[in-house]
Amino acid sequence: YEPNESSATATPVPLGEETAVLEDISICPDDEDYYRVELGTGQGIVVQMDHSEDDDVDVLLFKANGDLISEGVDRRGGEELRGLYLEPGGYLVMVDMRNYQGARPTTYTLEISLVDGRCTADADCDGLEGREFCDLEGGTCFGINSDGEQGLFEPCDDDDDCSTDTDGCHEGTPG
């Protein structure tokens, strides 16, 4: 899969009906491996990464432009990452091994699965910073960046969205 140390040299991972499995991939301390995936409308991904439980290897998901979307959740001997409620397009899965005292080269296995990734209510988007609202038609979570144009009782995700003729809005709530 080398070279894949940057977003520009990311290894494309075709996602079809089945899970893409990349096995026995070597990684060294202070190294990053990048993989490119394409998602269609309503699609999300689940990434399972397995490695030796003694190693500190992380998995992260970025938009193609470099914006961080999600970080993996540690589990013994690996991590799991869920990328749901995303807009269609290109995304980067990054595997990162930190250089800590005693770190040594190791191997990992990556499983990337397509899943239904549509949101069905604003509650699905809770906790997704900058993407707190559900677009029911597209099934994606989005944020509001209205620079003070939201009026009283209109949705907002921070007080900067509210117009000066309101008494402020409350983050994550209407108006």
Side-chain angles (χ1 to χ4, degrees), residues 79-90:
E79 291 201 359
E80 178 178 285
L81 178 146
R82 293 183 173 276
L84 304 175
Y85 321 129
L86 303 171
E87 296 176 357

Side-chain angles (χ1 to χ4, degrees), residues 6 16 19-20 22 44 49 51-52 56 58 64-65 70 81 94 96 98 100 108 124 141 148 153 165 168:
S6 71
T19 299
L22 311 172
M49 180 186 58
H51 59 76
S52 165
D56 185 9
D58 299 313
N65 68 5
S70 182
L81 178 146
M94 182 184 86
D96 178 30
R98 296 195 174 113
Y100 58 93
Y108 65 91
D124 291 338
C141 293
F153 302 115
D165 64 342

Side-chain angles (χ1 to χ4, degrees), residues 144-165:
I144 296 173
N145 184 10
S146 65
D147 297 325
E149 299 300 317
Q150 296 297 92
L152 191 58
F153 302 115
E154 291 185 305
C156 59
D157 52 18
D158 66 47
D159 285 338
D160 292 335
D161 293 331
C162 299
S163 68
T164 56
D165 64 342

Side-chain angles (χ1 to χ4, degrees), residues 91-113:
Y91 291 87
L92 296 166
V93 174
M94 182 184 86
V95 176
D96 178 30
M97 183 174 192
R98 296 195 174 113
N99 190 6
Y100 58 93
Q101 188 172 0
R104 63 192 189 293
T106 191
T107 60
Y108 65 91
T109 296
L110 207 57
E111 294 183 11
I112 304 175
S113 304

Side-chain angles (χ1 to χ4, degrees), residues 114-141:
L114 275 179
V115 296
D116 181 10
R118 294 177 190 268
C119 62
T120 58
D122 286 348
D124 291 338
C125 306
D126 283 350
L128 299 177
E129 187 174 330
R131 300 187 310 129
E132 292 90 354
F133 299 96
C134 179
D135 170 11
L136 294 175
E137 190 173 308
T140 61
C141 293

